[in-house]
Amino acid sequence: MELRWLETFVMVSRQGGLSAAAEAMGYARSTVTGHIQSLERSLGAQLVDRRSPGQPLTAAGAALIEHAEAILAQVDRARTMVARAEEDRNHSLVLGANSSVCVYRLPSFLRLLGRLAPNVRFEVEADSTRELLERVESGSVDIALVTGLLEQSRPSQARERGALHRTLWEEEVVMVGTREAATHPRKVLLTGPGCVYRELTEQDFLSRMPEADVLQVGTLEGVKSAVLAGLGVGLLPVVAVKSLLLQGHLVQTPLRSRHKVITDVVWNPGTCPSGLEAQLLRLQPVSELDPPAPARRPAARPALAPALAAVG
């Protein structure tokens, strides 16, 4: 049984006769007749009643038509997936990310891309959110991971620039420090200009801490390191300090923000492979909205303390 015989049989059913099918397919009538006869011989049954007006399907033909259409649909899907895989194989894409994403979100996103598009090669470039959106629009960056406030209209910004987007992460931010620094904050540590965490610190916290000085330390990792060193307090995403809060190395200040930070993936539909784009459109956001409660440290047992010290 050949696929072309099934294709001709389905067309005869849809067009209501051999002549109409031949015209629709651009075949000679004899070619269509030959395909139907070959299919009938392979199945050992008459499929089309060529003696009746309109040449209707026989009972055997009616039994076959649903299966024939399903087979051809599966073949079309297989061809599409092969074409997409071949298209992806020939792509090398530029992935942009701002500095905060590079540290905490980029590794897991790269693992995700490795599963969604195993044959695509990615080169990562860091830039600010504004620059990344412009570069996605121009096509110099194919896909970008960018951060922003949940309340901002990033989706509309992306659409205005001809890009598509999906929100991947939505999380709380926390103002943290060592226990002493959080109790009496004398210095607020800031990321560089253009970072959403600096914007949020200036918007939500500085006016509530009028006696505190500010110190720019550049990046989220810089803020985190300076906070751990006891140099002041800083605003960080929950993902960056979850384990430190649980272990008691850092604590939250009493100040809270009502804002949330989102991380979006934005891409240029003109340069992103269609197979990968279809996968990106199905992504759903992951929420990390509740900062962990610090773990209680169990009291040491006096009788065991010397023994543990000796072993250490």
Side-chain angles (χ1 to χ4, degrees):
M1 184 186 299
E2 297 185 13
L3 283 176
R4 58 180 181 154
W5 300 346
L6 287 177
E7 290 170 344
T8 300
F9 171 68
V10 169
M11 187 60 70
V12 168
S13 173
R14 291 175 179 173
Q15 297 296 324
L18 301 180
S19 297
E23 182 177 353
M25 300 179 75
Y27 289 167
R29 163 68 185 264
S30 59
T31 300
V32 171
T33 300
H35 286 179
I36 297 300
Q37 289 174 341
S38 297
L39 183 60
E40 288 175 333
R41 283 194 298 271
S42 71
L43 293 171
Q46 184 179 348
L47 303 174
V48 178
D49 186 353
R50 289 182 281 280
R51 294 173 298 178
S52 300
Q55 299 170 330
L57 300 183
T58 63
L64 174 63
I65 188 62
E66 181 179 347
H67 299 286
E69 290 176 338
I71 290 169
L72 294 178
Q74 288 285 0
V75 170
D76 285 342
R77 282 192 286 271
R79 287 172 174 160
T80 298
M81 294 306 295
V82 170
R84 286 179 176 176
E86 185 64 16
E87 177 187 3
D88 290 352
R89 186 178 67 85
N90 296 323
H91 270 81
S92 178
L93 301 183
V94 177
L95 170 64
N98 52 31
S99 60
S100 59
V101 171
C102 284
V103 176
Y104 299 111
R105 293 306 186 190
L106 184 60
S108 59
F109 186 66
L110 286 175
R111 287 194 296 270
L112 174 64
L113 288 179
R115 295 194 299 271
L116 298 182
N119 297 317
V120 178
R121 300 181 299 277
F122 291 95
E123 298 177 0
V124 180
E125 297 184 6
D127 216 329
S128 67
T129 293
R130 177 179 296 180
E131 292 296 325
L132 287 172
L133 288 175
E134 291 178 355
R135 294 181 65 187
V136 168
E137 177 188 15
S138 68
S140 64
V141 167
D142 305 289
I143 304 172
L145 281 183
V146 295
T147 54
L149 296 181
L150 181 61
E151 293 76 9
Q152 291 176 339
S153 56
R154 184 173 314 288
S156 63
Q157 294 176 33
R159 284 195 296 271
E160 288 170 2
R161 296 180 180 275
L164 297 175
H165 80 101
R166 278 293 182 273
T167 295
L168 299 185
W169 288 282
E170 177 184 327
E171 61 193 334
E172 299 279 6
V173 292
V174 286
M175 181 67 73
V176 296
T178 60
R179 190 169 299 279
E180 179 181 354
T183 304
H184 303 289
R186 296 183 176 87
K187 192 165 291 185
V188 181
L189 306 166
L190 298 176
T191 53
C195 175
V196 66
Y197 295 95
R198 179 179 183 132
E199 175 187 344
L200 191 50
T201 301
E202 293 174 337
Q203 175 179 321
D204 269 14
F205 293 94
L206 290 189
S207 63
R208 298 151 71 185
M209 306 168 69
E211 297 181 0
D213 294 329
V214 297
L215 174 63
Q216 178 178 308
V217 292
T219 65
L220 280 182
E221 275 297 281
V223 171
K224 180 179 175 180
S225 298
V227 165
L228 280 169
L231 298 181
V233 295
L235 190 68
L236 290 163
V238 170
V239 65
V241 293
K242 183 183 297 184
S243 61
L244 296 172
L245 291 172
L246 288 172
Q247 294 163 11
H249 297 306
L250 296 178
V251 297
Q252 290 181 246
T253 70
L255 301 178
R256 300 289 187 270
S257 173
R258 61 182 177 83
H259 294 96
K260 300 177 180 64
V261 171
I262 60 173
T263 302
D264 281 357
V265 56
V266 182
W267 67 93
N268 186 320
T271 60
C272 183
S274 58
L276 177 56
E277 181 177 355
Q279 299 274 19
L280 293 175
L281 286 168
R282 288 197 287 266
L283 296 178
Q284 298 296 321
V286 176
S287 294
E288 295 187 14
L289 299 181
D290 296 317
R296 293 184 178 179
R297 295 182 177 178
R301 297 180 182 179
L304 294 179
L308 291 174
V311 173

